[in-house]
Structures are given as structure tokens and as C-alpha cells.
């Protein structure tokens, strides 16, 4: 079988969930998709409108799936085998406690960013003010800003984005979640929010930080994530330099900056921030023990 071979069954004949899962995982595995069994179960769950756990239960029970659903799954598996991101196919991406709308034109939030957001959440929760202020520079889908706004509901959060395509996704997610303490702002981050100068408690950003000549290996990233959300100049730190200046302007003395970055950039970012006058620059590892975030104090 090749990635375009049909799923067992037809539009009229039901197929067992186990057969569908095994066939789909085999197709995805041959296409080089990481964790093909996981994606097979998630795609089947998407077709059936059930959770991955429910799919696993259906597999154990050897339950039958309608032929129409099996045919629909075949088309989705073909798309995933062509390395279209799973999140683009389902239209959804999990982030902490949220399920976000994503698709072409916006960066798909990654699990490692969930831990980066925790640094900002912890900083906000530690502030004695009844209404601490946070700014997410380059919000993309709105993932980080929404996490801050929903998990620290007494905070006032601003989500800054300058990509029209990404801003549409952010507005859609903000509207769907329905939080009232989050303000989306369409503006270049270098010019963001002068009315808040010197009053912000926390600035966080997951900026583009891939060096221009470091082409990502994964086709899902290389072919589908917006280039403006990936590449940050010759050393990957051009946007970080801008954020350092903007955050110095926005934060009050003692305010916290949180930056996500690549695993080899921690030392360079600490040096950059220290040279700009930041205090206590410290780099933190993610759950895979890779350097992932740097924090500093105004």
C-alpha cells in the first residue's frame, strides 16, 4: 500500500475501528509522520467527533465505523501523509486548557510554549495589584495571551499582532473563548501600546527566532508555518532585540520579561538583555531539558 491507497471498506460497507486505526497508522508511518499511531487516532476521532480516548475504546471493542466515515478518514490521512499539519486538518490546536482555532496564515502553538507561558502566569499571580497588566508581543493565534487571561482572570492582558492573517485567527479565538480581560491590538510590536509605557507588569513573547539560513527539517514547519513567524534574521535575534527595547519602555521597574527561544540561544539572549540594562537574566529548560525560555527583570 502507498499513502494514496484506499482505506479498507467503501462508502456503503462499515469498517472496524481497529482496521482503520492500523491502516491509517501504517500509511502515516511510511510517509515519515512522527507518532503515526497518535495522529491516526486523532484523525479518526476528528471524523467521529469523539476524543482520542473514545477512539481507543472503540478499537478495543472492535466497533464498526460507517463506510462514509471511513472514506472521509481516507482523505484526511492522505493530507496528513503529504505532511500537512494535523492541526490544519482538524482546524484545532490544544494549548494548556484551551482548544484554539488554527490554519494557514498562523503559527501553530507548540507544547513547549505551554511551559514558557507558565513563567508569565506565575509572575502575574505574584503581583499584589488587583489588576496586573500583561502584554503578549506577537500573539499569533492568541495562545499565550488567552492562557494568561483565562488563568489569571483578574489581569488585564493585551495581545499585539501585525500579521493580518494571524490577527484574524487571534480575534476568532478571543471571541470564541469570550474572555473580557483581553484586548487584541493590530500594530507592529515596535510601536506597540505607548499609552502603557512604564505601567506593565509582565511582557511575554514567542518571537520568530530561527536564523535565516537554518531551514527547519520538518515539512510541517518549513512548508506551512508563516515565514514571518519563524525567521529572525542572520542570528535569529533581530526581533528579540526589538522586543528588548519595547519591553524596557512598557515595563515598570521590577517588571518581568519572558522570552521563548531556540535551545542554542540562551547565552546570546542573556548577554543581549544584560547589555540592554536588564537584571537577573536567567535561562530555563523545557521538559526535554533543552534551553527554551529566558526571563529578566526591568
Amino acid at each position: 500500500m502507498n499513502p494514496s491507497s484506499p482505506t479498507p471498506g467503501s462508502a456503503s460497507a462499515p469498517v472496524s475501528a481497529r482496521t482503520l486505526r492500523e491502516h491509517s497508522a501504517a500509511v502515516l508511518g511510511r510517509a515519515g509522520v512522527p507518532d503515526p499511531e497518535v495522529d491516526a487516532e486523532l484523525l479518526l476521532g476528528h471524523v467521529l467527533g469523539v476524543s482520542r480516548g473514545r477512539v481507543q475504546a472503540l478499537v478495543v471493542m472492535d466497533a464498526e465505523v460507517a463506510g462514509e466515515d471511513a472514506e472521509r478518514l481516507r482523505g484526511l490521512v492522505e493530507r496528513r501523509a503529504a505532511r500537512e499539519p494535523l492541526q490544519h486538518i482538524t482546524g484545532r490546536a490544544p494549548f494548556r486548557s484551551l482548544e484554539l482555532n488554527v490554519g494557514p496564515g498562523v503559527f501553530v502553538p507548540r507544547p513547549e510554549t505551554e511551559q514558557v507561558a507558565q513563567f508569565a502566569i506565575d509572575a502575574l499571580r505574584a503581583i499584589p495589584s488587583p489588576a496586573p497588566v500583561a502584554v503578549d508581543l506577537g500573539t499569533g493565534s492568541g495562545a499565550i495571551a488567552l492562557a494568561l487571561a483565562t488563568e489569571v482572570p483578574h489581569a488585564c492582558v493585551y495581545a499585539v499582532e501585525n500579521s493580518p492573517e494571524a490577527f484574524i485567527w487571534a480575534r476568532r479565538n478571543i471571541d470564541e473563548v469570550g474572555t473580557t480581560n483581553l484586548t487584541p491590538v493590530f500594530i507592529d510590536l515596535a510601536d506597540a501600546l505607548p499609552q502603557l509605557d512604564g505601567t506593565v507588569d509582565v511582557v511575554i513573547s514567542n518571537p520568530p527566532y530561527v536564523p535565516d539560513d537554518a531551514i527547519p527539517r520538518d515539512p510541517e514547519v518549513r512548508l506551512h508555518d508563516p515565514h514571518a513567524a519563524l525567521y529572525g534574521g542572520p542570528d535569529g535575534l533581530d526581533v528579540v532585540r526589538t522586543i528588548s527595547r519595547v519591553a524596557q519602555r512598557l515595563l515598570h521597574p521590577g517588571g518581568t520579561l519572558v522570552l521563548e527561544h531556540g535551545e542554542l540561544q540562551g547565552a546570546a539572549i542573556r548577554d543581549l538583555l544584560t547589555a540592554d540594562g536588564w537584571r537577573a537574566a536567567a535561562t530555563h529548560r523545557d521538559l526535554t531539558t533543552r534551553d527554551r525560555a529566558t526571563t529578566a527583570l526591568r
Side-chain angles (χ1 to χ4, degrees), residues 205-236:
S205 183
N206 178 14
Y209 54 72
V210 177
D212 289 344
D213 61 355
I215 307 302
R217 294 188 304 271
D218 295 339
E220 291 88 346
V221 178
R222 185 175 67 251
L223 301 177
H224 295 279
D225 276 326
H227 283 194
L230 291 176
Y231 299 105
D235 64 355

Side-chain angles (χ1 to χ4, degrees), residues 115-201:
Q115 186 179 353
V116 178
Q118 189 67 53
F119 291 111
I121 290 167
D122 290 344
L124 279 177
R125 287 175 173 166
I127 295 164
S129 167
V133 179
V135 174
D136 176 18
L137 294 174
T139 197
S141 66
I144 291 175
L146 279 164
L148 270 56
T150 55
E151 296 185 46
V152 192
H154 63 287
C156 298
V157 182
Y158 295 83
V160 175
E161 180 56 59
N162 70 348
S163 161
E165 295 83 3
F167 192 71
I168 290 170
W169 287 107
R171 286 298 300 264
R172 181 177 175 186
N173 286 317
I174 292 166
D175 291 345
E176 182 175 289
V177 173
T179 183
T180 59
N181 61 331
L182 173 52
T183 303
V185 182
F186 184 73
I187 192 171
D188 191 274
L189 65 85
D191 305 315
L193 306 170
Q195 70 275 21
L196 296 181
D197 284 359
T199 67
V200 176
D201 296 288

